[in-house]
Amino acid sequence: MKNKITLKELAKLLNVSISTVSKALNDSPEISAKTVERVKELAKLHNYRPNPVAVNLKSSKSGTIGVIIPNISNSFFARVLSGIEAEAQRAGLQVITYISNEKLDREKQICDMLTTGYVDGVLIAVAEETQRKKEFDHLYQLVEYGIPVVLYDRINFDIPADRIGIDDVGTFADVTKGLLAKGIRKIGIATTIHHMGVGKLRIEGYKEALPKNENYYIANSARPESLKEKTEKMLVKDKVEAVICTDFESTMQVYRSAFEHTINIPEDLKVIGFIGKELANFLTPSISYIDQFPEEMGTGAMQLLEARLNNYNKDKSGTERILKTSLVHLESTKF
Amino acid sequence: MKNKITLKELAKLLNVSISTVSKALNDSPEISAKTVERVKELAKLHNYRPNPVAVNLKSSKSGTIGVIIPNISNSFFARVLSGIEAEAQRAGLQVITYISNEKLDREKQICDMLTTGYVDGVLIAVAEETQRKKEFDHLYQLVEYGIPVVLYDRINFDIPADRIGIDDVGTFADVTKGLLAKGIRKIGIATTIHHMGVGKLRIEGYKEALPKNENYYIANSARPESLKEKTEKMLVKDKVEAVICTDFESTMQVYRSAFEHTINIPEDLKVIGFIGKELANFLTPSISYIDQFPEEMGTGAMQLLEARLNNYNKDKSGTERILKTSLVHLESTKF
DNA sequence: TTTATTTTAGCAAACATTTTCTTTAGAATT
DNA sequence: AATTCTAAAGAAAATGTTTGCTAAAATAAA
């Protein structure tokens, strides 16, 4: 079993002091070129790499950042994490992952631990329960301890932190307007997340775009049976010409209801989903979807954090970055 | 801004030595009950928590484990990670996540870094490229450095490490036999991962179960057009009565081809997918699927690692744990 | 009372670094 | 020849813990 060599051991082998070795490896001008070379040669030979834990202790940095994810099964968050990891890798930082499972308690517990010094900064998409109960003390606590926080995706509440997300209202307004522009009048919206922050915003955008004289058609329920009922009413009784969906579950329900009532997509019904591209492309018919560019959100969040880590005091106020979304037309909106 | 209090500061406040404080907090019998109480009280008042970096340096442990994931967009791996995180949390360990993107180079780079001492152990599902090129030196290197390695999901190759996965051959053989038992004779298999380790095993299981006199029907291609062609041949020309799919892409292709050729599922065609339960339940018709219990695989992997961390030398040989899979019948196999 | 024993707490080393401060030796200046 | 200066390297402190050893005080035994 190989064991890592230390400065002390190198020093002994070279018959010089520990500090000389350290300085030589860090190209200090205090050390002669000759010794530097001698030291570096032996260091390379033994594949010396400084013990990160010792370096961390000395520098009182951990070289790691914490990422809090509400729900990793949601491929959106998985892809955000992927972006975060890529950017962290580039910056030489380690990513510690925590999953809150949308629970406030778990989130608190995580934040509490993080104040102990495990990480230099935190990226968080706050849990659903946290938003609902509007309890943000644990996030303030992080800030109190001087740990920079960046909010991603779920950003519509007041906390002194940098943030990155999309314009939910604008996105859904634009999508709705796009359908109107094609001459479609009866547009519905299906959602299972109407009680959540982002859900509300998306519905707001939909409503905002519809002309005053047009009815709203909304199928909203987190309970499957109820959603099914409301969706069927919207499709069969109200006979909407298009449905915009705010999330995975509602998108799938619309597809199922259309199938069961032999409503053809896209001939009889246009559908726009808010799902990932993998799924959108593979469903039959493929679903036109709103791309949120999750990886970009991840790298962007990480970049905001890096900026803070490099000069935390320079700019006190939180910066906000809103990413553009993009409607990708596939089979479900063919005209 | 709050700042963390140290043993030294507590000691000064209490007018005792640092070691007394440390011992008191760790309930050393060397310290009198009176002092212990005094120390603990003040520690609680100041919310003292030992600096994890310093503890790590002293114990030459990092208290973290590394998880290498080939592809996080695959919800299977996302769910495994979820299981790992939950179990790590329970064990008081931090999880550092690395994404290899199925690339050998990235995997090497990660392992190289890990030998420096960032983690106490590693969980890895080896990248596709790594398996194909059969280059495992970087994994041996981890072992060399005394870092316990646990393989998960992709485990069919020879490396001295603990491992956890499913019985791919047995699972697919059982599923095939199940269909045969229902009187179905012409059974096909669709796959886009036939060149990968697990893909081969799954096909092997399928073949193993079929009676000698029965033909194999295999639609295998990683290229979409080619897969489409082969799938259509299987469904339309060969008129198979059932298709077993080894992965997400092939499952979706079978659904699309069936739809386009108005082949009704399950009346004309039974389909069994190898996809996650979220998707399986939400598709129309819902797809009978093979549940791999990803979260269990995650917790199981973590448990194997914990066992190693607690007594690394006790049992030298690698232990293997094979998880049971379960075929969940939904609409696509209704009789 | 003296010696032995036990309790209690402090000292100092150790973990692997980095960095400031000193020392030493040789060269340059007077 | 004496002094100053500079280059190079070492000593030591510091980061925050833990822990083996030592010292002192308190208690018990002789």
Side-chain angles (χ1 to χ4, degrees):
Chain A
M1 187 170 110
K2 265 185 216 176
N3 56 346
K4 320 172 219 328
I5 195 163
T6 65
L7 284 185
K8 191 198 274 189
E9 291 163 325
L10 283 178
K12 187 174 286 173
L13 288 172
L14 289 160
N15 256 318
V16 296
S17 75
I18 295 176
S19 43
T20 304
V21 178
S22 173
K23 286 172 186 171
L25 292 173
N26 292 308
D27 286 308
S28 159
E30 287 180 53
I31 308 298
S32 70
K34 195 160 73 290
T35 338
V36 168
E37 199 193 358
R38 221 162 60 89
V39 171
K40 284 193 173 175
E41 195 178 0
L42 194 74
K44 176 171 269 178
L45 180 67
H46 286 83
N47 191 27
Y48 169 80
R49 275 119 90 214
N51 178 329
V53 178
V55 175
N56 291 342
L57 179 59
K58 195 82 216 335
S59 63
S60 49
K61 297 246 166 79
S62 69
T64 71
I65 61 114
V67 176
I68 305 180
I69 296 174
N71 171 10
I72 189 83
S73 306
N74 182 332
S75 86
F76 170 75
F77 287 117
R79 290 174 60 192
V80 173
L81 177 61
S82 180
I84 292 172
E85 197 268 349
E87 177 64 20
Q89 203 269 321
R90 221 192 43 72
L93 295 165
Q94 314 294 312
V95 177
I96 304 191
T97 309
Y98 303 93
I99 300 171
S100 69
N101 283 317
E102 306 280 15
K103 295 275 176 258
L104 172 58
D105 273 354
R106 176 81 184 106
E107 200 173 273
K108 278 180 170 175
Q109 192 189 355
I110 294 165
C111 288
D112 194 53
M113 194 172 59
L114 293 183
T115 57
T116 313
Y118 285 94
V119 299
D120 296 336
V122 173
L123 305 180
I124 181 173
V126 282
E128 203 273 301
E129 188 183 355
T130 307
Q131 285 182 76
R132 202 177 56 235
K133 298 190 175 166
K134 299 200 200 316
E135 210 181 307
F136 302 117
D137 290 2
H138 52 300
L139 298 181
Y140 279 100
Q141 202 192 5
L142 287 175
V143 177
E144 275 258 300
Y145 271 92
I147 300 173
V149 174
V150 175
L151 309 173
Y152 66 91
D153 188 52
R154 300 173 178 184
I155 60 176
N156 58 318
F157 36 77
D158 198 33
I159 287 177
D162 296 333
R163 60 194 66 202
I164 182 170
I166 65 164
D167 174 8
D168 284 287
V169 178
T171 297
F172 275 74
D174 287 350
V175 167
T176 309
K177 284 176 195 158
L179 289 169
L180 289 167
K182 291 270 190 177
I184 293 183
R185 311 303 310 278
K186 295 178 87 167
I187 303 173
I189 189 164
T191 180
T192 69
I193 57 168
H194 49 288
H195 56 285
M196 288 183 59
V198 285
K200 284 180 187 143
L201 295 174
R202 290 170 193 176
I203 295 170
E204 190 184 320
Y206 157 80
K207 288 184 174 173
E208 190 180 296
L210 281 185
K212 286 282 169 291
N213 57 336
E214 196 59 71
N215 278 332
Y216 302 144
Y217 301 98
I218 305 183
N220 59 347
S221 177
R223 290 185 307 114
E225 328 81 64
S226 167
L227 180 70
K228 177 181 155 85
E229 206 174 289
K230 289 184 175 176
T231 305
E232 285 175 348
K233 175 176 175 297
M234 191 164 77
L235 298 188
V236 179
K237 185 156 162 288
D238 297 337
K239 291 196 169 39
V240 297
E241 301 160 77
V243 179
I244 305 170
C245 311
T246 68
D247 55 286
F248 169 74
E249 280 85 355
S250 57
T251 309
M252 301 312 278
Q253 181 58 58
V254 169
Y255 257 49
R256 172 168 284 266
S257 294
F259 177 81
E260 288 176 351
H261 295 88
T262 52
I263 296 168
N264 291 322
I265 300 171
E267 294 81 1
D268 307 335
L269 178 72
K270 317 289 179 207
V271 179
I272 293 175
F274 205 66
I275 57 178
K277 64 178 169 195
E278 325 82 26
L279 195 55
N281 277 290
F282 281 106
L283 283 172
T284 313
S286 59
I287 304 193
S288 300
Y289 66 100
I290 298 164
D291 197 340
Q292 304 185 72
F293 304 108
E295 287 85 0
E296 277 74 9
M297 194 180 290
T299 57
M302 190 64 220
Q303 283 162 357
L304 285 175
L305 183 55
E306 282 173 65
R308 281 288 167 184
L309 291 176
N310 293 336
N311 55 8
Y312 190 44
N313 298 313
K314 271 276 178 59
D315 166 35
K316 270 292 185 188
S317 69
T319 63
E320 179 176 82
R321 200 171 141 202
I322 300 300
L323 294 174
K324 290 242 179 318
T325 55
S326 159
L327 174 57
V328 179
H329 278 287
L330 296 177
E331 291 168 353
S332 72
T333 51
K334 277 265 167 61
F335 278 83
Chain B
M1 188 169 107
K2 265 184 215 177
N3 56 347
K4 319 171 221 325
I5 195 162
T6 65
L7 283 186
K8 192 197 274 190
E9 291 162 326
L10 282 178
K12 186 174 287 173
L13 288 171
L14 290 160
N15 257 318
V16 295
S17 77
I18 295 175
S19 46
T20 303
V21 178
S22 173
K23 286 172 184 169
L25 291 173
N26 292 309
D27 286 309
S28 161
E30 287 181 51
I31 308 296
S32 69
K34 193 159 75 288
T35 341
V36 168
E37 198 193 359
R38 219 162 63 88
V39 171
K40 284 194 172 175
E41 194 178 1
L42 193 74
K44 175 171 268 178
L45 181 67
H46 286 83
N47 190 28
Y48 169 80
R49 275 117 90 214
N51 178 329
V53 178
V55 175
N56 291 342
L57 179 60
K58 195 81 216 337
S59 63
S60 50
K61 297 246 168 81
S62 68
T64 70
I65 61 114
V67 177
I68 305 180
I69 296 175
N71 170 10
I72 189 82
S73 306
N74 184 330
S75 85
F76 170 76
F77 288 117
R79 289 175 59 192
V80 173
L81 177 61
S82 180
I84 293 172
E85 198 269 347
E87 178 63 19
Q89 204 269 320
R90 219 192 44 70
L93 294 165
Q94 314 293 313
V95 177
I96 304 191
T97 308
Y98 303 93
I99 300 171
S100 69
N101 284 316
E102 305 280 13
K103 295 274 176 257
L104 172 58
D105 272 356
R106 176 79 183 107
E107 201 173 271
K108 279 180 170 177
Q109 192 188 353
I110 294 166
C111 288
D112 194 53
M113 194 172 60
L114 293 182
T115 57
T116 314
Y118 285 94
V119 298
D120 296 335
V122 173
L123 306 179
I124 179 172
V126 284
E128 203 273 300
E129 188 183 355
T130 307
Q131 285 182 77
R132 202 176 56 236
K133 298 190 175 166
K134 298 201 200 317
E135 210 182 305
F136 302 118
D137 291 2
H138 52 300
L139 298 182
Y140 278 100
Q141 203 192 3
L142 287 175
V143 178
E144 275 258 299
Y145 271 91
I147 300 174
V149 174
V150 176
L151 309 173
Y152 66 91
D153 187 53
R154 300 172 178 185
I155 60 176
N156 58 318
F157 36 78
D158 198 32
I159 287 177
D162 296 332
R163 60 195 65 205
I164 183 170
I166 64 164
D167 175 7
D168 285 287
V169 177
T171 296
F172 275 74
D174 287 350
V175 167
T176 309
K177 284 176 196 158
L179 290 169
L180 289 167
K182 291 269 188 178
I184 293 183
R185 313 302 311 276
K186 297 178 85 170
I187 303 172
I189 189 165
T191 181
T192 68
I193 56 168
H194 49 289
H195 56 285
M196 289 183 58
V198 284
K200 283 180 188 145
L201 295 174
R202 290 170 194 176
I203 295 169
E204 190 184 319
Y206 156 79
K207 288 183 175 175
E208 191 180 295
L210 281 186
K212 285 282 169 290
N213 58 335
E214 197 57 73
N215 278 333
Y216 302 146
Y217 302 97
I218 303 183
N220 58 348
S221 177
R223 289 185 306 113
E225 327 82 62
S226 168
L227 179 71
K228 176 181 157 84
E229 208 175 287
K230 290 183 176 179
T231 305
E232 285 176 349
K233 176 176 174 298
M234 190 163 77
L235 298 188
V236 179
K237 186 157 161 286
D238 298 336
K239 291 194 169 41
V240 297
E241 301 160 77
V243 179
I244 305 170
C245 311
T246 68
D247 54 286
F248 170 73
E249 280 85 354
S250 58
T251 308
M252 301 311 278
Q253 180 59 57
V254 169
Y255 258 50
R256 173 169 283 267
S257 293
F259 177 81
E260 287 176 351
H261 295 87
T262 52
I263 296 169
N264 291 323
I265 300 172
E267 294 82 1
D268 307 334
L269 179 73
K270 317 289 178 207
V271 179
I272 293 175
F274 205 65
I275 58 177
K277 65 178 169 194
E278 325 82 26
L279 195 53
N281 277 292
F282 280 106
L283 283 172
T284 313
S286 59
I287 303 193
S288 300
Y289 66 101
I290 299 164
D291 198 339
Q292 304 186 73
F293 304 107
E295 287 84 0
E296 278 73 9
M297 193 180 291
T299 56
M302 192 64 220
Q303 283 162 357
L304 285 174
L305 183 54
E306 282 173 64
R308 282 287 168 185
L309 291 176
N310 293 336
N311 55 6
Y312 191 44
N313 299 313
K314 273 277 177 60
D315 167 36
K316 269 292 185 188
S317 69
T319 64
E320 180 177 82
R321 198 170 144 202
I322 300 301
L323 295 174
K324 290 242 180 316
T325 55
S326 158
L327 174 57
V328 179
H329 279 288
L330 297 177
E331 292 169 351
S332 72
T333 51
K334 278 265 166 62
F335 278 85

